[in-house]
mmCIF file of all heavy atoms in Angstrom:
data_model
loop_
_atom_site.group_PDB
_atom_site.id
_atom_site.type_symbol
_atom_site.label_atom_id
_atom_site.label_comp_id
_atom_site.label_asym_id
_atom_site.label_seq_id
_atom_site.Cartn_x
_atom_site.Cartn_y
_atom_site.Cartn_z
ATOM 1 N N GLU A 42 2.190 -15.249 -1.225
ATOM 2 C CA GLU A 42 1.639 -16.561 -1.620
ATOM 3 C C GLU A 42 1.155 -17.347 -0.403
ATOM 4 O O GLU A 42 0.047 -17.891 -0.413
ATOM 5 C CB GLU A 42 2.689 -17.370 -2.397
ATOM 6 C CG GLU A 42 3.158 -16.727 -3.684
ATOM 7 C CD GLU A 42 2.052 -16.538 -4.728
ATOM 8 O OE1 GLU A 42 1.082 -17.310 -4.753
ATOM 9 O OE2 GLU A 42 2.161 -15.572 -5.513
ATOM 10 N N GLN A 45 -1.812 -15.672 0.768
ATOM 11 C CA GLN A 45 -2.770 -15.345 -0.315
ATOM 12 C C GLN A 45 -3.398 -13.977 -0.055
ATOM 13 O O GLN A 45 -4.630 -13.816 -0.017
ATOM 14 C CB GLN A 45 -3.832 -16.448 -0.472
ATOM 15 C CG GLN A 45 -3.309 -17.681 -1.191
ATOM 16 C CD GLN A 45 -2.861 -17.388 -2.636
ATOM 17 O OE1 GLN A 45 -3.586 -16.798 -3.413
ATOM 18 N NE2 GLN A 45 -1.649 -17.825 -2.985
ATOM 19 N N ASN A 46 -2.507 -13.014 0.137
ATOM 20 C CA ASN A 46 -2.930 -11.655 0.479
ATOM 21 C C ASN A 46 -2.063 -10.688 -0.327
ATOM 22 O O ASN A 46 -0.828 -10.667 -0.176
ATOM 23 C CB ASN A 46 -2.750 -11.461 2.000
ATOM 24 C CG ASN A 46 -3.225 -10.094 2.474
ATOM 25 O OD1 ASN A 46 -3.078 -9.094 1.770
ATOM 26 N ND2 ASN A 46 -3.784 -10.056 3.670
ATOM 27 N N LYS A 49 0.624 -8.264 1.504
ATOM 28 C CA LYS A 49 1.685 -8.681 2.422
ATOM 29 C C LYS A 49 3.079 -8.741 1.792
ATOM 30 O O LYS A 49 3.740 -9.796 1.812
ATOM 31 C CB LYS A 49 1.312 -10.003 3.095
ATOM 32 C CG LYS A 49 0.050 -9.916 3.967
ATOM 33 C CD LYS A 49 0.172 -8.909 5.120
ATOM 34 C CE LYS A 49 -1.041 -8.990 6.054
ATOM 35 N NZ LYS A 49 -1.163 -7.818 6.935
ATOM 36 N N GLU A 57 3.805 -2.575 9.524
ATOM 37 C CA GLU A 57 2.737 -2.909 10.483
ATOM 38 C C GLU A 57 3.329 -3.329 11.834
ATOM 39 O O GLU A 57 2.824 -2.923 12.886
ATOM 40 C CB GLU A 57 1.838 -4.016 9.911
ATOM 41 C CG GLU A 57 1.058 -3.531 8.694
ATOM 42 C CD GLU A 57 -0.204 -4.336 8.435
ATOM 43 O OE1 GLU A 57 -0.105 -5.356 7.728
ATOM 44 O OE2 GLU A 57 -1.274 -3.949 8.950
ATOM 45 N N TRP A 66 1.027 5.160 14.321
ATOM 46 C CA TRP A 66 1.137 4.996 12.865
ATOM 47 C C TRP A 66 2.252 5.867 12.298
ATOM 48 O O TRP A 66 2.626 5.716 11.146
ATOM 49 C CB TRP A 66 -0.191 5.282 12.166
ATOM 50 C CG TRP A 66 -0.742 6.684 12.277
ATOM 51 C CD1 TRP A 66 -1.684 7.127 13.169
ATOM 52 C CD2 TRP A 66 -0.396 7.810 11.468
ATOM 53 N NE1 TRP A 66 -1.928 8.463 12.964
ATOM 54 C CE2 TRP A 66 -1.165 8.905 11.926
ATOM 55 C CE3 TRP A 66 0.484 8.003 10.395
ATOM 56 C CZ2 TRP A 66 -1.076 10.189 11.341
ATOM 57 C CZ3 TRP A 66 0.575 9.277 9.825
ATOM 58 C CH2 TRP A 66 -0.198 10.346 10.297
ATOM 59 N N CYS A 80 7.661 -1.244 -4.573
ATOM 60 C CA CYS A 80 6.582 -1.084 -5.563
ATOM 61 C C CYS A 80 5.762 0.147 -5.171
ATOM 62 O O CYS A 80 5.914 0.669 -4.062
ATOM 63 C CB CYS A 80 5.709 -2.341 -5.609
ATOM 64 S SG CYS A 80 4.547 -2.484 -4.247
ATOM 65 N N SER A 103 11.063 -3.880 -13.447
ATOM 66 C CA SER A 103 9.699 -3.884 -14.006
ATOM 67 C C SER A 103 9.010 -2.542 -13.776
ATOM 68 O O SER A 103 7.888 -2.331 -14.194
ATOM 69 C CB SER A 103 8.871 -5.013 -13.391
ATOM 70 O OG SER A 103 8.554 -4.716 -12.051
ATOM 71 N N ARG A 117 1.902 15.653 -1.402
ATOM 72 C CA ARG A 117 0.569 15.463 -0.844
ATOM 73 C C ARG A 117 0.530 15.333 0.680
ATOM 74 O O ARG A 117 -0.475 15.651 1.308
ATOM 75 C CB ARG A 117 -0.177 14.282 -1.489
ATOM 76 C CG ARG A 117 0.497 12.961 -1.452
ATOM 77 C CD ARG A 117 -0.370 11.895 -2.092
ATOM 78 N NE ARG A 117 -1.375 11.405 -1.171
ATOM 79 C CZ ARG A 117 -1.123 10.511 -0.219
ATOM 80 N NH1 ARG A 117 0.101 10.036 -0.035
ATOM 81 N NH2 ARG A 117 -2.088 10.087 0.572
ATOM 82 N N GLU B 42 -6.369 5.682 12.865
ATOM 83 C CA GLU B 42 -6.170 6.191 14.233
ATOM 84 C C GLU B 42 -6.495 5.126 15.278
ATOM 85 O O GLU B 42 -5.719 4.917 16.209
ATOM 86 C CB GLU B 42 -7.034 7.440 14.466
ATOM 87 C CG GLU B 42 -6.710 8.613 13.555
ATOM 88 C CD GLU B 42 -5.297 9.162 13.719
ATOM 89 O OE1 GLU B 42 -4.723 9.049 14.805
ATOM 90 O OE2 GLU B 42 -4.754 9.684 12.727
ATOM 91 N N GLN B 45 -3.863 2.668 15.081
ATOM 92 C CA GLN B 45 -2.516 3.257 15.041
ATOM 93 C C GLN B 45 -1.642 2.461 14.075
ATOM 94 O O GLN B 45 -0.547 1.986 14.432
ATOM 95 C CB GLN B 45 -1.906 3.338 16.449
ATOM 96 C CG GLN B 45 -2.484 4.470 17.285
ATOM 97 C CD GLN B 45 -2.199 5.868 16.691
ATOM 98 O OE1 GLN B 45 -1.067 6.176 16.346
ATOM 99 N NE2 GLN B 45 -3.232 6.701 16.567
ATOM 100 N N ASN B 46 -2.152 2.345 12.863
ATOM 101 C CA ASN B 46 -1.481 1.551 11.830
ATOM 102 C C ASN B 46 -1.589 2.325 10.520
ATOM 103 O O ASN B 46 -2.696 2.581 10.025
ATOM 104 C CB ASN B 46 -2.180 0.180 11.751
ATOM 105 C CG ASN B 46 -1.525 -0.759 10.757
ATOM 106 O OD1 ASN B 46 -1.045 -0.330 9.697
ATOM 107 N ND2 ASN B 46 -1.498 -2.030 11.073
ATOM 108 N N LYS B 49 -3.818 0.928 7.431
ATOM 109 C CA LYS B 49 -5.237 0.547 7.493
ATOM 110 C C LYS B 49 -6.204 1.585 6.922
ATOM 111 O O LYS B 49 -7.116 2.053 7.616
ATOM 112 C CB LYS B 49 -5.619 0.141 8.923
ATOM 113 C CG LYS B 49 -4.859 -1.079 9.439
ATOM 114 C CD LYS B 49 -5.106 -2.350 8.611
ATOM 115 C CE LYS B 49 -4.452 -3.580 9.273
ATOM 116 N NZ LYS B 49 -4.326 -4.714 8.367
ATOM 117 N N GLU B 57 -7.893 -6.778 1.876
ATOM 118 C CA GLU B 57 -7.473 -7.909 2.708
ATOM 119 C C GLU B 57 -8.652 -8.843 3.005
ATOM 120 O O GLU B 57 -8.505 -10.061 2.966
ATOM 121 C CB GLU B 57 -6.830 -7.400 4.005
ATOM 122 C CG GLU B 57 -5.527 -6.656 3.737
ATOM 123 C CD GLU B 57 -4.605 -6.631 4.950
ATOM 124 O OE1 GLU B 57 -4.738 -5.727 5.776
ATOM 125 O OE2 GLU B 57 -3.759 -7.551 5.069
ATOM 126 N N TRP B 66 -4.909 -14.011 -3.527
ATOM 127 C CA TRP B 66 -4.465 -12.610 -3.592
ATOM 128 C C TRP B 66 -4.917 -11.946 -4.894
ATOM 129 O O TRP B 66 -4.823 -10.737 -5.032
ATOM 130 C CB TRP B 66 -2.957 -12.485 -3.389
ATOM 131 C CG TRP B 66 -2.074 -13.112 -4.427
ATOM 132 C CD1 TRP B 66 -1.468 -14.325 -4.358
ATOM 133 C CD2 TRP B 66 -1.674 -12.542 -5.693
ATOM 134 N NE1 TRP B 66 -0.730 -14.554 -5.494
ATOM 135 C CE2 TRP B 66 -0.831 -13.473 -6.324
ATOM 136 C CE3 TRP B 66 -1.953 -11.336 -6.333
ATOM 137 C CZ2 TRP B 66 -0.263 -13.236 -7.576
ATOM 138 C CZ3 TRP B 66 -1.387 -11.105 -7.578
ATOM 139 C CH2 TRP B 66 -0.561 -12.053 -8.181
ATOM 140 N N CYS B 80 -5.135 6.989 -2.426
ATOM 141 C CA CYS B 80 -3.766 7.505 -2.249
ATOM 142 C C CYS B 80 -2.817 6.561 -3.001
ATOM 143 O O CYS B 80 -3.221 5.478 -3.418
ATOM 144 C CB CYS B 80 -3.420 7.579 -0.766
ATOM 145 S SG CYS B 80 -2.999 5.984 -0.012
ATOM 146 N N SER B 103 -5.402 16.858 -2.348
ATOM 147 C CA SER B 103 -4.011 16.924 -1.858
ATOM 148 C C SER B 103 -3.082 16.147 -2.788
ATOM 149 O O SER B 103 -1.878 16.111 -2.579
ATOM 150 C CB SER B 103 -3.921 16.382 -0.432
ATOM 151 O OG SER B 103 -4.089 14.979 -0.428
ATOM 152 N N ARG B 117 4.056 -2.062 -15.140
ATOM 153 C CA ARG B 117 4.903 -2.963 -14.365
ATOM 154 C C ARG B 117 4.297 -4.330 -14.084
ATOM 155 O O ARG B 117 5.003 -5.312 -13.909
ATOM 156 C CB ARG B 117 5.432 -2.327 -13.077
ATOM 157 C CG ARG B 117 4.397 -1.801 -12.132
ATOM 158 C CD ARG B 117 5.063 -1.230 -10.886
ATOM 159 N NE ARG B 117 5.374 -2.277 -9.951
ATOM 160 C CZ ARG B 117 4.472 -2.815 -9.127
ATOM 161 N NH1 ARG B 117 3.223 -2.426 -9.141
ATOM 162 N NH2 ARG B 117 4.843 -3.757 -8.274
#
Side-chain angles (χ1 to χ4, degrees):
Chain A
E42 299 298 332
Q45 283 298 309
N46 183 324
K49 297 300 187 196
E57 293 203 272
W66 63 263
C80 77
S103 72
R117 56 179 278 280
Chain B
E42 298 298 332
Q45 284 297 311
N46 183 324
K49 298 299 187 196
E57 294 203 273
W66 64 262
C80 77
S103 72
R117 57 179 278 280

